[in-house]
Amino acid sequence: MRIAVTYENGQVFQHFGHTEQFKIYEVEDGKVVSSEVIGSDGQGHGALAGLLSNNSIDVLICGGIGGGAQAALSECGIELCAGASGDTDAAVEAYLKGELINSGVNCNHHGEGHTCGDHEEGHSCGGHSGCGGCHSEPAFEGKNVGKTCRTHYRGTFNDGTQFDSSYDRGEPLEFVCGAGMMIKGFDKAVANMEVGEKVDIHLMPEEAYGQRDEEAVFTIEIAQLPGSENLEVDQQVYLQDPYGRPFPVKVVAKDDTNITLDANHEMAGKELNFTIELVEVK
């Protein structure tokens, strides 16, 4: 199986028709065995499906995509999984585990007209985050701010349980320091690191994924959310905010009439620990 992901700086690029790169994953027996990044050669919506077909792509993972492009992919026999965001490697792993849901469900309801700008300053929109495409201005200075950094990291909770590790995936995480792609505390720690340096940091929720926001848990009628009748409790799906950006929600309750969704990040309210190793600065 060959999987293509719209790609920019290690993240799922949110506009299929404007993507300049795809990351291609070769999968055998349900595991990634190799990957490479290819250019889109400046082709637009219509030609991209042909480009992917010529590269023997079976599955496309992307953020936003239009109806015409979806139809073109279908004609080429390429499976579509839209509405993804965050780290491309993590998106592929989620797809292979059956945890990445194609965003056939769209709505403009998220609390009271929520946009990504409503999060506390420094909220991540990449790495572990699901807020596709929003970026905050750097709230700090450092010699690496504005530069593309590649880091290895290991994340643990206070009890020592590991929740994520780039070492286990075998590839460093790439992001632009200070561009809002990472959570504030992680980003700030990398800002003044030297290549080859390794640091340990402890982050309170305010510098990680923030405190839980009960207003981000909302209930709507199933009839107002086409496709939600097929969802199950604990399932994660992607909705769209008023600007068309996908964001993940978790189904926390459902009856015959209503469905309750939680848009809080799964790490909200948690203290996190990271070991960070700066591998390269471009």
Side-chain angles (χ1 to χ4, degrees), residues 15-28:
H15 303 285
F16 171 75
H18 298 287
T19 189
E20 296 182 358
Q21 294 178 312
F22 292 97
K23 188 166 185 178
I24 310 298
Y25 297 80
E26 189 77 34
V27 177
E28 295 179 5

Side-chain angles (χ1 to χ4, degrees), residues 163-215:
F163 60 81
D164 195 11
S165 171
S166 66
Y167 293 102
D168 293 350
R169 291 193 294 274
E171 185 173 348
L173 174 67
E174 184 174 296
F175 62 96
V176 177
C177 185
M181 298 168 68
M182 303 299 298
I183 54 176
K184 183 178 180 181
F186 192 108
D187 220 3
K188 189 175 181 179
V190 174
N192 281 297
M193 288 180 65
E194 301 283 349
V195 172
E197 184 180 0
K198 184 180 287 188
V199 300
D200 293 314
I201 61 173
H202 173 77
L203 302 182
M204 298 301 289
E206 290 73 21
E207 289 202 316
Y209 295 96
Q211 298 291 352
R212 275 188 58 82
D213 179 6
E214 294 309 318
E215 292 186 0

Side-chain angles (χ1 to χ4, degrees), residues 1 3 5 12 25 27 30-32 59-62 79 81-102 127-130 164 169 235-238 248 266:
M1 175 190 294
I3 300 174
V5 187
V12 179
Y25 297 80
V27 177
K31 295 186 179 299
V32 174
V59 179
L60 168 69
I61 297 174
C62 65
E79 178 186 342
C81 193
S85 60
D87 182 75
T88 56
D89 294 350
V92 171
E93 289 297 323
Y95 172 82
L96 294 175
K97 293 177 182 178
E99 297 174 353
L100 194 63
I101 308 299
N102 186 25
H128 297 286
S129 168
D164 195 11
R169 291 193 294 274
Q235 186 174 352
Q236 185 183 66
V237 295
Y238 285 85
E266 61 181 352

Side-chain angles (χ1 to χ4, degrees), residues 256-271:
D256 293 338
T257 305
N258 299 311
I259 187 168
T260 301
L261 304 170
D262 186 353
N264 281 290
H265 193 281
E266 61 181 352
M267 297 289 195
K270 297 183 182 294
E271 297 180 26

Side-chain angles (χ1 to χ4, degrees), residues 2-229:
R2 285 170 63 80
I3 300 174
V5 187
T6 50
Y7 182 84
E8 183 182 53
N9 294 325
Q11 306 294 299
V12 179
F13 187 68
Q14 289 301 302
H15 303 285
F16 171 75
H18 298 287
T19 189
E20 296 182 358
Q21 294 178 312
F22 292 97
K23 188 166 185 178
I24 310 298
Y25 297 80
E26 189 77 34
V27 177
E28 295 179 5
D29 298 322
K31 295 186 179 299
V32 174
V33 295
S34 65
S35 63
E36 64 174 330
V37 176
I38 67 170
S40 66
D41 301 325
Q43 302 187 54
H45 297 74
L48 287 177
L51 172 69
L52 295 176
S53 179
N54 291 338
N55 279 274
S56 303
I57 299 303
D58 300 294
V59 179
L60 168 69
I61 297 174
C62 65
I65 189 169
Q70 292 184 56
L73 290 167
S74 179
E75 290 180 5
C76 292
I78 299 174
E79 178 186 342
L80 173 65
C81 193
S85 60
D87 182 75
T88 56
D89 294 350
V92 171
E93 289 297 323
Y95 172 82
L96 294 175
K97 293 177 182 178
E99 297 174 353
L100 194 63
I101 308 299
N102 186 25
S103 61
V105 178
N106 296 316
C107 84
N108 291 331
H109 184 98
H110 183 189
E112 293 297 323
H114 169 87
T115 69
C116 283
D118 292 334
H119 285 293
E120 70 278 2
E121 185 181 51
H123 176 80
S124 161
C125 291
H128 297 286
S129 168
C131 289
C134 61
H135 298 284
S136 58
E137 291 298 319
F140 50 85
E141 297 180 351
K143 61 184 179 182
N144 296 327
V145 171
K147 299 178 181 179
T148 298
C149 297
R150 301 181 79 229
T151 64
H152 266 308
Y153 66 92
R154 179 173 290 106
T156 58
F157 297 119
N158 284 345
D159 64 2
T161 302
Q162 177 179 297
F163 60 81
D164 195 11
S165 171
S166 66
Y167 293 102
D168 293 350
R169 291 193 294 274
E171 185 173 348
L173 174 67
E174 184 174 296
F175 62 96
V176 177
C177 185
M181 298 168 68
M182 303 299 298
I183 54 176
K184 183 178 180 181
F186 192 108
D187 220 3
K188 189 175 181 179
V190 174
N192 281 297
M193 288 180 65
E194 301 283 349
V195 172
E197 184 180 0
K198 184 180 287 188
V199 300
D200 293 314
I201 61 173
H202 173 77
L203 302 182
M204 298 301 289
E206 290 73 21
E207 289 202 316
Y209 295 96
Q211 298 291 352
R212 275 188 58 82
D213 179 6
E214 294 309 318
E215 292 186 0
V217 180
F218 54 95
T219 300
I220 55 178
E221 293 183 9
I222 292 174
Q224 295 180 354
L225 193 61
S228 62
E229 64 274 8

